[in-house]
Amino acid sequence: MKPHARKTLAAMFCKTNRISSADIAPSTETVIASVEAPFYLFLELLEPSGLADSTDPVDGILITLLRRLHNTTSGALTLVVLGRIQEAEILSRTIMESALTIQYALAQQTGHRLVKYFKHYIQTERDQIKKWKGELPGLNLETQSDHQIRIDVKLSALDGYKAFIEHFARMQKTDSAGSKNWPSTYDICVSLGKAVDYRTVYMAMCSQAHHDAEDILNDFIVGSSTDYETRIGELEYETGNFGIFLLLCSLRYYLECLQQIGKRYRLPTVEIQSSRSFATISVLAEKVSSNGFVSKELDKFAPKRI
C-alpha cells in the first residue's frame, strides 16, 4: 500500500475514533490501514452491488455481524494507539470468536446455521434466568419482587426474539425446533480446520482475558532475580510483543471473514485487498514473535508520546 493511502486511512480511522493521528507509531499505522482498507471497500460497494437493497435477511444479518466485528477491531486498535496494549490484547479473543462465528456461518447452509446461532442465545439466556430465579429465595421479599419484575421483562424480550427466529427459520425452510445446537468454539475451530489455533492462539487469548496468574508469576520471578534490571526490560518487551502478536492473529481471522464475504458476494476488490492485508499482518506477526518475543519490534507499535 502506498504511504499516502496508508496515512489517509489512518487519519480517517483517528477521526472516526476521536483520537490523535500524531500518536500513531509506524507499524500501528500499517495495521490500521490494512484493517480498514477492505472494510471501506466493502462499504463503498454495498450500493452498487445491490446488497444495500437486498430483501434476503441472511444478507442483512451477515452485514450486521461484520459491522459489529469491525467495531471491535476498531476498539482494540484505538487502545493500541493509546498505549494500552494489554487491554487491546484482551479484545483479541472477542475478535477471534466473532470472526469464527461469521466464518462458520459462511462455510455452508448459512441461513440454517444462523438459526442455530440465534437459538443458542435464547437457550443460554433461559438457562441463566432459571439459575437467577434459583438465587431469589435467599433475598428479602421486596428485593425478590424487584428481581422478578426484571426477570419477567427479560423473558418477554426472549419470547419476542423467539417469534422472530421462528419466522426467520420458516423463510430458510428450516425447522427451528429440530435444529442441532450451536457448536462450541472448539467444535467451530475443528470444523474450519483450526483445531491447532484453538489449542494455541485461542487458549492464550483466554488466559489474558481471565487475568490468570501467569503475568503475576512472571513479575515475581523476574523481581526475585539477581539480574533484575536486564530481565525486567526483556519481560516488558516480551509481554508487549506477545500482546501485539495475539491481536495480529485475531485480525487475520477478521480479514479471512472479509475475504470470504468478498467471495460470497462477488466483490473481487474486497477479496483481493483482504488477501493483501492478511499477508501484511502475517509479516508483522512474524516480526513481533522473533527472538522469543524479546525484540524491539514493540517500539514500532507503541505510541510516539504517552
Side-chain angles (χ1 to χ4, degrees), residues 68-122:
R68 184 174 68 170
L69 172 57
H70 174 262
N71 287 342
T72 308
T73 65
S74 295
L77 290 173
T78 296
L79 287 170
V80 173
V81 173
L82 296 174
R84 311 298 295 190
I85 291 173
Q86 284 187 285
E87 288 71 22
E89 178 185 354
I90 291 172
L91 280 178
S92 64
R93 176 185 173 183
T94 303
I95 295 170
M96 181 175 178
E97 289 176 342
S98 298
L100 291 176
T101 292
I102 297 173
Q103 289 188 38
Y104 181 74
L106 287 170
Q108 60 178 320
Q109 298 180 306
T110 302
H112 176 71
R113 287 186 170 184
L114 287 173
V115 170
K116 292 197 294 183
Y117 172 67
F118 291 133
K119 274 188 59 188
H120 174 71
Y121 166 75
I122 297 292

Side-chain angles (χ1 to χ4, degrees), residues 40-60:
Y40 284 148
L41 277 173
F42 175 71
L43 294 183
E44 289 176 0
L45 292 170
L46 280 177
E47 292 285 347
S49 67
L51 262 179
D53 301 317
S54 174
T55 58
D56 186 344
V58 170
D59 296 337

Side-chain angles (χ1 to χ4, degrees), residues 58-66 102 106 110 261 264-265:
V58 170
D59 296 337
I61 292 168
L62 288 175
I63 292 170
T64 300
L65 288 172
L66 184 60
I102 297 173
L106 287 170
T110 302
I261 287 284
R264 177 185 178 92
Y265 293 112

Side-chain angles (χ1 to χ4, degrees), residues 234 238 241 286-297:
E234 292 178 348
E238 180 183 354
N241 281 324
E286 185 175 348
K287 287 182 178 180
V288 299
S289 63
S290 63
N291 195 31
F293 293 97
V294 183
S295 71
K296 297 295 180 71
E297 286 298 317

Side-chain angles (χ1 to χ4, degrees), residues 52-276:
D53 301 317
S54 174
T55 58
D56 186 344
V58 170
D59 296 337
I61 292 168
L62 288 175
I63 292 170
T64 300
L65 288 172
L66 184 60
R67 286 182 183 272
R68 184 174 68 170
L69 172 57
H70 174 262
N71 287 342
T72 308
T73 65
S74 295
L77 290 173
T78 296
L79 287 170
V80 173
V81 173
L82 296 174
R84 311 298 295 190
I85 291 173
Q86 284 187 285
E87 288 71 22
E89 178 185 354
I90 291 172
L91 280 178
S92 64
R93 176 185 173 183
T94 303
I95 295 170
M96 181 175 178
E97 289 176 342
S98 298
L100 291 176
T101 292
I102 297 173
Q103 289 188 38
Y104 181 74
L106 287 170
Q108 60 178 320
Q109 298 180 306
T110 302
H112 176 71
R113 287 186 170 184
L114 287 173
V115 170
K116 292 197 294 183
Y117 172 67
F118 291 133
K119 274 188 59 188
H120 174 71
Y121 166 75
I122 297 292
Q123 188 57 54
T124 300
E125 289 296 298
R126 291 193 187 280
D127 290 344
Q128 289 301 317
I129 287 173
K130 287 181 183 178
K131 294 175 182 178
W132 180 5
K133 290 183 71 173
E135 303 293 343
L136 298 188
L139 305 175
N140 63 58
L141 293 178
E142 182 179 356
T143 304
Q144 283 189 47
S145 177
D146 179 63
H147 277 268
Q148 188 59 54
I149 290 171
R150 299 174 192 280
I151 287 172
D152 291 340
V153 169
K154 184 68 175 178
L155 287 172
S156 177
L158 291 176
D159 288 340
Y161 296 153
K162 182 181 177 183
F164 163 79
I165 295 168
E166 290 174 346
H167 176 67
F168 177 60
R170 287 193 295 272
M171 293 182 69
Q172 303 305 311
K173 298 180 180 180
T174 297
D175 179 10
S176 64
S179 297
K180 294 182 179 179
N181 292 332
W182 181 254
S184 65
T185 302
Y186 172 71
D187 289 332
I188 288 175
C189 286
V190 170
S191 175
L192 296 173
K194 300 181 185 295
V196 173
D197 298 47
Y198 178 89
R199 297 300 183 191
T200 54
V201 175
Y202 184 71
M203 284 293 98
M205 291 175 177
C206 291
S207 173
Q208 290 303 311
H210 295 150
H211 277 189
D212 69 5
E214 181 181 7
D215 289 340
I216 303 300
L217 288 171
N218 285 336
D219 287 343
F220 177 77
I221 291 170
V222 170
S224 304
S225 64
T226 55
D227 55 345
Y228 168 77
E229 292 186 0
T230 298
R231 295 191 65 185
I232 191 61
E234 292 178 348
L235 179 61
E236 288 176 357
Y237 274 107
E238 180 183 354
T239 301
N241 281 324
F242 190 69
I244 291 292
F245 176 76
L246 289 184
L247 178 59
L248 294 176
C249 287
S250 73
L251 295 178
R252 291 196 295 191
Y253 300 117
Y254 155 84
L255 290 166
E256 285 178 339
C257 281
L258 273 164
Q259 189 173 7
Q260 292 166 19
I261 287 284
K263 183 177 181 179
R264 177 185 178 92
Y265 293 112
R266 298 179 182 178
L267 305 173
T269 54
V270 174
E271 194 175 353
I272 292 168
Q273 182 56 59
S274 299
S275 178
R276 289 174 178 170

